[in-house]
Amino acid sequence: MDDRHFMNMALDLAVKGQGLTSPNPMVGAVVVKDGQVVGTGYHEAAGKAHAEVNALEDAGRLARGADLYVTLEPCNHTGRTPPCTRRILAAGIRRVIAAMKDPNPGVAGGGAEFLKQQGVEVTLGVGEDRARKLNEAFIKYVRTGCPFVIAKCAATLDGRIATRTGDSRWVTGPAARQFVHRLRHAVDAIMVGINTVRSDDPSLTTRLDSGQGRDAVRVVLDTHLSISPQARILRQRSAAQTIVVVGGVPAATKKAAVEKTGARVIAVELKNNLIDMQALMERLGALELTSLLIEGGSRVLASAFAAAVVDKVLFFYAPKILGGDDGVPICSGPGPERMSACVAVTDVSVQRFENDVLIEGYVEKS
């Protein structure tokens, strides 16, 4: 079996940490000796042992003289845990195969170089494409300090996310909605605008068929702090916090009423009378939120695209036609005058969820 086979095993292990490791990356590791797997492990949660350590402990004495497959370059610095490179040397690993370098500009290449200096053979780049996609949020966060932003919508074939009355239940079917709940489990935060809160009164919790799942931090854009303290989003029995983002300094009585529910109110400067999206991303990044799912509504999506903060799009289309021009569009407000000024999407892929179609792609950065 070749290196790619064992690296795919390590990548499969890494996925087990989805939704649990932030602000750390998802990492998997496999120890192989004489063509046989003798140890496996993955990073289970931030603050817990790294994947390499778990795999080496699983292998025990069989690690000496073995190969270590790991989805990210082993760390050579002390963070919440000691350097993995020292543990690799102590275990007697002869060869390390890593899918990609650590994307953190301050430490990239350091672990691989240290191991080479100590006589360990190091191979980089096996399974790199899959490894980079797995940790696309972590990569952006460590390079920019801002979360990786996903814009998601569910629309009819004629591009409407709700009827003129605001009714949007349900545009897509159960399979597509379960995918979204898995996505909620995976991201650090979910964001909606106050109009979505008023019209839908959403919970924005994670509800998987398995009954498991982690809630993401809920973020509401509410420039004038008009949210009702009775809103469902403020009344969840959830370990995840709700953050209400306002523009300027809110009235003390309103702020106190919202904070009494356990929510947090933060002020972000305005731009064109709307929350400054770039400034907000910096604030959310400072809170160690590495990924953000924008779920609506149309004004929030339009504002995010206009501010060029979106990295990835997930647009669901249901086989339905509203048949009028008075429904709620995916994005609302003025758009560009020419097609050449549209937001370009690249690396497009298509999936089906029963009769619904998901178009996934990445926003082309200039």
Side-chain angles (χ1 to χ4, degrees):
M1 296 181 183
D2 62 9
D3 287 346
R4 188 168 292 276
H5 170 78
F6 294 116
M7 186 59 73
N8 280 331
M9 290 180 61
L11 287 161
D12 289 342
L13 285 166
V15 175
K16 291 186 175 183
Q18 192 169 60
L20 305 172
T21 64
S22 182
N24 291 350
M26 292 171 276
V27 184
V30 175
V31 182
V32 177
K33 191 169 188 178
D34 299 326
Q36 299 296 317
V37 174
V38 296
T40 62
Y42 68 97
H43 185 39
E44 298 175 9
K48 290 190 175 183
H50 286 189
E52 301 95 313
V53 173
N54 287 332
L56 292 170
E57 287 186 353
D58 188 40
R61 294 180 180 179
L62 293 176
R64 187 158 299 279
D67 297 341
L68 174 66
Y69 292 81
V70 61
T71 59
L72 185 69
E73 175 188 5
C75 63
N76 192 41
H77 60 282
T78 300
R80 299 182 184 182
T81 58
C84 289
T85 50
R86 271 65 170 186
R87 184 68 178 81
I88 291 168
L89 292 177
I93 290 291
R94 73 174 185 92
R95 179 174 175 238
V96 171
I97 304 92
M100 59 178 286
K101 283 186 178 181
D102 191 320
N104 190 330
V107 301
E113 190 58 35
F114 175 80
L115 289 171
K116 288 178 183 178
Q117 291 172 359
Q118 302 304 312
V120 178
E121 183 183 345
V122 177
T123 301
L124 291 171
V126 177
E128 182 172 2
D129 289 346
R130 186 180 168 196
R132 293 182 70 84
K133 182 164 185 177
L134 179 68
N135 280 310
E136 57 193 7
F138 174 76
I139 292 170
K140 183 189 178 184
Y141 178 73
V142 296
R143 289 179 175 173
T144 69
C146 292
F148 182 85
V149 180
I150 305 167
K152 168 259 171 185
C153 76
T156 61
L157 291 179
D158 48 350
R160 295 295 188 263
I161 62 174
T163 68
R164 65 176 178 275
T165 65
D167 179 39
S168 61
R169 295 186 180 181
W170 295 103
V171 177
T172 53
R177 296 200 298 274
Q178 268 299 294
F179 176 87
V180 172
H181 282 287
R182 291 195 295 273
L183 188 59
R184 287 181 178 181
H185 167 78
V187 298
D188 289 349
I190 306 168
M191 187 167 77
V192 297
I194 186 60
N195 288 336
T196 296
V197 173
R198 289 196 193 107
S199 61
D200 294 349
D201 196 20
S203 299
L204 295 188
T205 53
T206 299
R207 301 181 296 280
L208 297 175
D209 286 341
S210 64
Q212 303 298 312
R214 164 194 148 276
D215 289 341
V217 171
R218 297 168 292 274
V219 180
V220 181
L221 301 189
D222 186 10
T223 304
H224 305 293
L225 195 57
S226 61
I227 191 170
S228 167
Q230 304 305 316
R232 190 178 299 170
I233 201 168
L234 300 178
R235 300 285 177 178
Q236 296 302 315
R237 291 183 178 179
S238 171
Q241 188 176 44
T242 296
I243 297 173
V244 182
V245 182
V246 301
V249 180
T253 53
K254 285 185 177 181
K255 185 171 183 285
V258 172
E259 290 182 335
K260 189 177 181 180
T261 68
R264 179 178 181 180
V265 177
I266 64 172
V268 173
E269 55 264 38
L270 298 178
K271 188 174 184 180
N272 300 323
N273 296 317
L274 297 172
I275 300 294
D276 185 327
M277 283 289 188
Q278 184 57 50
L280 175 60
M281 295 307 113
E282 293 169 6
R283 288 291 300 276
L284 296 180
L287 296 175
E288 290 194 332
L289 298 174
T290 68
S291 53
L292 174 69
L293 175 64
I294 301 178
E295 289 213 25
S298 59
R299 289 180 61 187
V300 174
L301 286 168
S303 182
F305 284 119
V309 300
V310 177
D311 298 290
K312 185 176 185 177
V313 297
L314 294 174
F315 278 25
F316 287 91
Y317 287 93
K320 301 174 182 178
I321 298 171
L322 197 60
D325 64 359
D326 56 353
V328 181
I330 295 171
C331 295
S332 64
E337 294 183 356
R338 304 185 68 84
M339 278 290 173
S340 59
C342 286
V343 175
V345 178
T346 187
D347 296 332
V348 175
S349 61
V350 179
Q351 297 181 61
R352 279 189 62 173
F353 293 86
E354 295 174 345
N355 290 325
D356 301 317
V357 176
L358 168 63
I359 296 179
E360 175 182 333
Y362 294 84
V363 173
E364 196 171 75
K365 302 293 184 177
S366 57

